[in-house]
Amino acid sequence: EFLSERGGSIPNVGALMRTSVLTPAEFARLKPSFVVRGVGDFRRALLLWAALFFAGFYLVHFVWRLRGFDGDTAILPALHLLTSIGLIVMVSLRDPLRDTLSFTHFAQGVAGGCLLMLALSFVDFGRRLAGYSFVPLVAALLLSTALILFGSGPGASDAKVNLLGFQPVEVIKILLVLFLAGYFARNWEMLRELREKHPALERIGRRIEIPRLEYVLPVVVSIVLVLLFFFLQKDLGPALVFSCVFLLLYAVARNRFLLAGGGLALLVAGFGIGYLAGYPRTVAARVEMWLSPWDNAVRGGDQVAHALWALASGGLTGAGVGLGEPGSVPAAATDLVLAAVGEEFGFLGLVAVFLVYGALLYMAGRIALRAPTDYTFFLALGLVLLIAAQVLLIAGGVLGLVPLSGVVTPFLSYGRTSMLANFAIFAILLSVSREARDSERAAPFRRPVEWVGIALAVGAAVVLAKAGWVQVARADAVAGAGALAVQADGARRYQYNPRILEIAARIPRGSIYDRTGLPLAAGSFEELEKHRAAYADMGIDVGRLDRTGRRLYPLGSAAYHLLGDLRTRANWGARNSSLAERDSTVRLQGYDDHARAVEVDDPRTGKTAWTVRYDYRELLPLLRHRWQPEHPEVRRVMERDRDLRMTIDARLQAAAARILAQHLKQQGRERGALVAIDAESGDLLASVSLPAPALPAQPAVEDGGTGPLLDRARYGLYPPGSTFKIVTAMAALRLDPALAKQTFRCVRLPDGRVGNFIGRSRRPVRDDIMDKNPHGDVDLARGLAVSCNAYFAQLAHRMGPGPLLETANLLGISVAHPATERQLRDALPQAGYGQGQV
């Protein structure tokens, strides 16, 4: 239907869009007409991949049963639960008929991960890898070098994360843990027992136990390598994750945490230097977003704001599975998947997810403490910390506690490489659990592991506390907040919760009617069709109106200066306009968005610009009860009278436009105005200004205020002439009521006209050319009756500029530019009868 109205066809759609024929509203209307798959295709794909998803877990379960697997099998249902939540989110993220299906790749990753876990869970990693810990290190270095040299980033990011279709960082992290397990298994006793004996350090050593230099160097070298990798790969996440894992393992091995804390401080300082230097660009942008999530100068810097909007929109119990709008969150399938979980499952669902993570990490920690060898202990603990660091870092980034790191959320994020890697981690843990047993071997590590567990629990508590603050305590304030960020065109404007904007767009805007009930502006063609005959009597064929926009104006440009154009909002920022669509927008849209112009700074250029800021919190009840149309708070908003009735007579308005156009054509002129007012009631019946813009109206090129956007009828600047004499009379009476009796002379001038000279001026003030006889001695009553220019010029001269300026200011009338007594004095006689700068 849309294309046939333009005489087009499907192949021409691309050309329409490339030539910018389609407005966003038109595109939104067009999109539902195009699909890449049918409902049946989507249903079959969902059933197929869901079946493979479940088959992977049950295959692992039955093979373990058949082969008598004696590892910690309770891990399997916990992984099943986490990945099931991830699968649900992936299904709800995308339009099933028009977008790519994220759940297919997710299910592929889970099915492949189950097979990988099944195979690796029977491998004895302690026996096979304990003596070859440097082999994983060499492999990690080779992969890192290849990634730095040949890797690429997602989209416009300068980070190096992709290589040959997969993400090597996920493999590099596991390889580094394999290396660290071997290193600490061999050296943990020496790290604890041997102390540095240098004389210069003896005083410090009495308070702080400092290990031998050769055992401190690994900390320094590792931090330096992490920072080097960070700067070369240009990604914050892997560096943070690996450094946290290494420093915690180091602290557990030494049973001391102070040096590890110093290493973390050194790492943070390195990141800070990178931020201050603006390199890498992606990391600097993430830090800037973290420092100011609601107001920054980063292109697309509203990512954290989108995550917070999603969480706040979910509230305590969530929008419901498939009932939220997680697809509006950038990177909701990857970096910000926890925001999608929080929106659909709510704060309680987010707590449940963290409880599952906590159970998994607790089981993995028990496996580490019951590991048969030092190597398997450090291997299991390193893998536990790897998962914990990823969860806490990405959760903190989503909630604005730390900068977004770009790491995946284990078992929830989209990505086959990360999914396979995380299943491999738990496969190794399951393999270690087969040989796990209670013994005194873990006694030296039990206390530091407990401290690490407490630190992780505190981190999780902080994350959940911030989530509760966002989703429960401050949910409405966060959901309704605006974020000032750089848009695609480079301008900084406020963005808002897209869920609220969608709700606002669904509220039908009221119609604007004339005094007889005839629509001047309507949102549907059916509304105009009811009055087709009335419009036909006015010479208007409503069938020929452009119906592609969301607003219809049957009188076209003839009523533009009265109504405005909602489709383009042309001239809406002009103070010298009175547009019903703008001025009555609160009534027409049914809610108050508290729109106001604000001045914003651009940190990149140092310039300031004006933009509009809105407040949509009045619509929050509709967000909270979006699936409850009968809820009282929803009905209170939706049932408001949103129609506007004007005193304008549509027939008279159309006739006045034709009359004025004909008059101007006969006189060879282009500009003019015509107004019709009911003299008894003061109602405005018609108001026409020509030229008027063709609809849809577009912002005009600077034309000095003489173009078609100017409403000459109400905002044209005209000398008021004799009507201003009432103001002069008011000023005189306010100054001294006795001035009403004072007379001034009106005489015949040398050139035959009537008037008088004012003061020492040699240029006389003349009355109207039709006044043939002088008015003689004139007081206020007669001066008004005969409208004598000479009288009011002398009256103004007698008063002085002060009283006239004061009275004019009280009435909102400009009499001098600038509005000072000194400026008014120079043309005071002329101002007295409405000329000069009045």
Side-chain angles (χ1 to χ4, degrees), residues 41 71 164 205 332 485 700:
D41 298 326
L164 301 176

Side-chain angles (χ1 to χ4, degrees), residues 531-713:
H531 306 276
R532 177 183 284 269
Y535 289 121
D537 292 341
M538 300 160 56
I540 298 173
D541 183 2
V542 294
R544 298 175 62 87
L545 292 177
D546 182 1
R547 284 178 267 170
T548 58
R550 57 174 176 166
R551 205 65 168 163
L552 298 169
Y553 299 102
L555 268 64
S557 59
Y560 166 77
H561 294 102
L562 290 169
L563 308 176
D565 190 344
L566 181 67
R567 298 166 296 184
T568 63
R569 302 189 178 219
N571 213 38
W572 277 38
R575 296 182 180 180
N576 61 337
S577 62
S578 292
L579 308 174
E581 290 276 32
R582 179 198 64 195
D583 299 342
S584 299
T585 191
V586 172
R587 179 180 180 85
L588 290 168
Q589 64 191 15
Y591 61 90
D592 189 355
D593 56 18
H594 301 282
R596 62 188 182 92
V598 294
E599 196 171 16
V600 299
D601 298 324
D602 191 336
R604 301 165 301 168
T605 63
K607 298 180 179 179
T608 59
W610 287 94
T611 187
V612 180
R613 184 172 187 173
Y614 300 93
D615 185 345
Y616 292 101
R617 279 179 289 183
E618 190 175 331
L619 295 179
L620 285 172
L622 276 66
L623 175 66
R624 301 295 178 212
H625 309 288
R626 71 184 90 177
W627 308 114
Q628 300 170 283
E630 296 303 316
H631 192 279
E633 291 191 38
V634 175
R635 295 183 62 181
R636 179 176 58 83
V637 176
M638 298 302 294
E639 294 179 357
R640 291 173 180 168
D641 183 7
R642 293 187 292 275
D643 294 331
L644 178 68
R645 291 158 183 83
M646 302 183 72
T647 63
I648 296 298
D649 187 307
R651 297 170 180 81
L652 186 57
Q653 180 74 16
R658 289 193 300 269
I659 292 168
L660 179 60
Q662 294 170 0
H663 176 74
L664 293 178
K665 184 177 180 180
Q666 291 171 358
Q667 295 194 344
R669 296 165 55 192
E670 297 180 353
R671 296 189 289 272
L674 190 157
V675 175
I677 298 177
D678 186 323
E680 294 184 358
S681 66
D683 288 349
L684 182 65
L685 304 178
S687 176
V688 181
S689 173
L690 292 180
L695 298 189
Q698 301 297 327
V701 179
E702 183 62 37
D703 55 15
T706 61
L709 293 179
L710 175 63
D711 182 357
R712 290 173 173 78

Side-chain angles (χ1 to χ4, degrees), residues 15 93 103 167 226 231 258 344 442 604 802 835:
L93 276 177
F103 68 81
Q167 294 185 343
V226 165
F231 279 104
L258 185 59
E344 300 226 320
R604 301 165 301 168
Q835 298 295 329

Side-chain angles (χ1 to χ4, degrees), residues 334-520:
T334 52
D335 295 15
L336 304 182
V337 68
L338 282 175
V341 173
E343 178 179 2
E344 300 226 320
F345 294 88
F347 174 68
L348 296 179
L350 209 57
V351 171
V353 167
F354 268 79
L355 289 176
V356 177
Y357 276 125
L360 274 171
L361 295 175
Y362 175 76
M363 289 185 283
R366 287 184 66 250
I367 291 172
L369 288 173
R370 298 177 67 240
T373 66
D374 290 345
Y375 174 77
T376 51
F377 163 75
F378 281 105
L379 176 60
L381 182 60
L383 295 175
V384 170
L385 295 176
L386 193 61
I387 295 293
Q390 290 185 109
V391 172
L392 289 180
L393 281 174
I394 194 61
V398 169
L399 289 161
L401 292 169
V402 295
L404 278 172
S405 55
V407 298
V408 300
T409 308
F411 306 108
L412 292 177
S413 292
Y414 170 93
R416 283 171 291 196
T417 304
S418 61
M419 190 67 72
L420 293 173
N422 290 321
F423 269 99
I425 287 172
F426 276 90
I428 297 173
L429 289 168
L430 286 164
S431 172
V432 173
S433 73
R434 294 175 61 208
E435 304 296 330
R437 58 183 180 273
D438 293 321
S439 67
E440 291 301 315
R441 186 209 54 76
F445 307 115
R446 197 172 301 278
R447 179 58 62 86
V449 168
E450 288 176 355
W451 280 109
V452 170
I454 292 173
L456 294 178
V458 169
V462 171
V463 167
L464 290 177
K466 179 62 182 293
W469 186 87
V470 170
Q471 295 193 264
V472 181
R474 297 280 294 168
D476 284 355
V478 174
L484 186 61
V486 179
Q487 304 305 306
D489 60 358
R492 293 183 78 226
R493 286 188 293 272
Y494 281 96
Q495 297 295 294
Y496 303 92
N497 189 338
R499 298 153 194 81
I500 297 180
L501 295 181
E502 184 178 345
I503 289 170
R506 287 203 301 265
I507 299 176
R509 190 177 180 90
S511 297
I512 302 177
Y513 296 98
D514 80 338
R515 66 191 302 114
T516 67
L518 200 62
L520 298 172

Side-chain angles (χ1 to χ4, degrees), residues 146-166:
L147 180 61
I148 291 169
L149 294 177
F150 308 109
S152 61
S157 172
D158 60 349
K160 303 286 186 72
V161 296
N162 298 319
L163 178 68
L164 301 176
F166 79 109

